Amino acid sequence: MRIVPLYTKVFVSNLLRYVFVPHNHKRGYFIVIDGGEGSGKSTIVERLKAEFPEIEFSREPGGTPYAEEIRKVMLNSQHAKDASGATILLLVSAGRSDHMDHRAAPAILSGKHFMTDRSDCTSWGYQIGGQEGGYALKKLFFAIRPVVYKKVQPDLYVILEVDPAEGARRVAERRGEINHFDERKQDFHMRVMQAYRTFGLLFPFRVKFVDANRTKDEVYADVRAILLKKLKK
């Protein structure tokens, strides 16, 4: 299968980078928190903001004025639900690039720890997994990644795993904005969860999974412990 050499190349490249490229302690850590719909991610992020004021928080898509405009098109356009995985990957990558150039990279390189609510792992989960992106889209993902992360790349991904049925139940009870990804069928969210697992295999030294089917306090305790371990290094 063509996908095996691609995955092998990505895995080996990241293994070598982890082993032979030490973290530059003059810069901050780049941390991502992610998860499927209904995983409680937004709640966890708000608690982290309160406890870790030394970290600069942002979100993707978004985080800069231009990227926020792209976010609106991606999530709120009446045509968004019919867009292909390739279209959304390219669109969100443009916003991610602007976010990295004008906000994330400058902060990190100045020595500040930086956390984003979602990042490229979301594109892998939703467009590659949920929207069933094939081999060509996977190649595109890995071709775009070094262009977007030309100065720094994430040091840690914390991915909240929730059973799609439980996630759907929580989304149904949620107050606030609902987008077209929230409304997709359970098989879509199952593919997202499986894709996150693949992402974890490709970046094993950077990805940590947390069981988000438990109480908010239990989930937060695990996320907090992972974060503290990284920040103390």
Side-chain angles (χ1 to χ4, degrees):
M1 293 177 63
R2 292 182 299 171
I3 196 64
V4 174
L6 176 63
Y7 281 179
T8 301
K9 180 180 178 180
V10 171
F11 174 82
V12 172
S13 173
N14 282 287
L15 173 62
L16 293 175
R17 183 180 180 86
Y18 180 82
V19 173
F20 295 109
V21 183
H23 178 78
N24 178 1
H25 292 285
K26 291 182 180 180
R27 75 168 180 85
Y29 280 113
F30 184 7
I31 301 161
V32 176
I33 185 163
D34 201 359
E37 305 302 329
S39 61
K41 175 179 56 61
S42 298
T43 300
I44 296 298
V45 168
E46 289 306 309
R47 290 184 66 172
L48 291 172
K49 286 180 180 179
E51 185 172 353
F52 296 92
E54 71 275 19
I55 298 177
E56 182 174 338
F57 288 83
S58 187
R59 70 175 183 175
E60 290 187 8
T64 62
Y66 191 35
E68 287 292 336
E69 291 181 5
I70 292 174
R71 178 188 180 91
K72 291 177 182 177
V73 173
M74 191 192 103
L75 294 177
N76 303 126
S77 168
Q78 62 178 327
H79 308 293
K81 68 180 185 304
D82 299 317
S84 69
T87 298
I88 294 181
L89 174 62
L90 290 166
L91 187 63
V92 74
S93 295
R96 183 168 297 132
S97 180
D98 189 75
H99 180 246
M100 287 301 303
D101 287 346
H102 297 291
R103 187 169 175 196
I108 295 163
L109 293 174
S110 73
K112 196 171 185 65
H113 299 314
F114 194 88
M115 178 179 285
T116 59
D117 179 342
R118 298 198 181 282
S119 192
D120 64 320
C121 49
T122 312
S123 297
W124 183 267
Y126 281 67
Q127 278 68 68
I128 302 298
Q131 293 188 269
E132 299 182 282
Y135 176 74
L137 197 60
K138 291 171 184 174
K139 280 190 68 177
L140 178 62
F141 176 90
F142 290 118
I144 290 174
R145 194 171 187 275
V147 177
V148 173
Y149 296 136
K150 55 186 174 289
K151 294 182 179 178
V152 292
Q153 65 172 288
D155 299 292
L156 172 67
Y157 297 88
V158 181
I159 300 178
L160 308 183
E161 286 192 305
V162 65
D163 179 81
E166 172 62 15
R169 184 192 68 78
R170 294 176 181 177
V171 169
E173 296 177 350
R174 181 191 298 167
R175 295 180 180 179
E177 181 183 359
I178 299 294
N179 62 63
H180 59 95
F181 288 116
D182 295 310
E183 298 171 341
R184 304 208 180 206
K185 295 181 180 179
Q186 190 168 321
D187 60 341
F188 173 91
H189 298 289
M190 183 62 72
R191 291 193 298 272
V192 170
M193 184 173 70
Q194 292 167 346
Y196 277 136
R197 274 287 161 182
T198 301
F199 190 86
L201 293 174
L202 294 171
F203 298 87
F205 305 104
R206 300 179 187 275
V207 178
K208 301 293 183 182
F209 290 96
V210 173
D211 179 3
N213 295 292
R214 301 168 300 157
T215 68
K216 294 177 182 178
D217 287 344
E218 289 173 321
V219 176
Y220 183 75
D222 280 2
V223 173
R224 181 179 183 275
I226 292 169
L227 185 57
L228 285 174
K229 184 177 181 180
K230 171 59 72 174
L231 297 181
K232 286 179 180 178
K233 285 189 176 181

